[in-house]
Amino acid sequence: MPARFRKRIVVVAALVAVAAAAVFTTVSPASGHHVTIKGSSLVTYHFMPKSLHVQRGATVHWSWSSNAPHNVTFKSISAHSATGASETFSHKFKKAGTYRYICTIHDFKGKVVVG
C-alpha cells in the first residue's frame, strides 16, 4: 500500500476516534460537583454522595430522574429545589461551613462541607 494511502487511513481513523469520543463523553458541570438521588423505594432512596467537600465559591449540582418526587431543601439557608420526579438544582456556596439538606418527601439527608 502506498505511503500516501496509509497516511490518509491514519488521519481518517484519528478523526473517527475524536468524533466517537465526543459522542460518548458525558460533560460534567464546570465545577465537577454533582449529587444524584439513588434508589427505587422509600427504604433505598439516598443522596449520592451523601457528603460532599468543596471549596468556597464552588457550585454543586443536583439532578434526579426517579419513580417518585424528591427535592433538596436546606435548613440553614433559604435554598431549595422544586419537588418532582425529574428535576435539577444548583447552588453556589460562598461561605465556609457545613450545610445539611434533606428530601422533605422521604426524609433522607445529605451535607455539603465548604472549606
Side-chain angles (χ1 to χ4, degrees):
M1 179 182 296
R4 67 182 180 153
F5 289 122
R6 277 184 267 157
K7 185 177 181 181
R8 285 183 183 167
I9 289 173
V10 169
V11 169
V12 168
L15 290 173
V16 168
V18 168
V23 169
F24 294 109
T25 301
T26 301
V27 178
S28 297
S31 70
H33 304 294
H34 192 86
V35 178
T36 59
I37 294 175
K38 300 289 186 181
S40 58
S41 70
L42 182 60
V43 295
T44 62
Y45 291 136
H46 64 281
F47 290 109
M48 185 64 161
K50 186 174 181 175
S51 180
L52 186 64
H53 294 258
V54 301
Q55 295 298 315
R56 193 174 23 187
T59 299
V60 177
H61 307 273
W62 287 261
S63 65
W64 60 93
S65 182
S66 179
N67 58 347
H70 301 291
N71 60 37
V72 174
T73 303
F74 286 86
K75 294 184 178 196
S76 62
I77 56 176
S78 61
H80 60 87
S81 71
T83 298
S86 182
E87 299 289 339
T88 61
F89 171 68
S90 297
H91 183 75
K92 184 173 184 173
F93 293 88
K94 298 176 183 176
K95 295 181 181 179
T98 299
Y99 298 86
R100 299 180 189 281
Y101 58 91
I102 186 171
C103 170
T104 60
I105 306 297
H106 300 104
D107 201 40
F108 57 94
K109 299 168 178 71
K111 71 177 176 180
V112 177
V113 179
V114 182

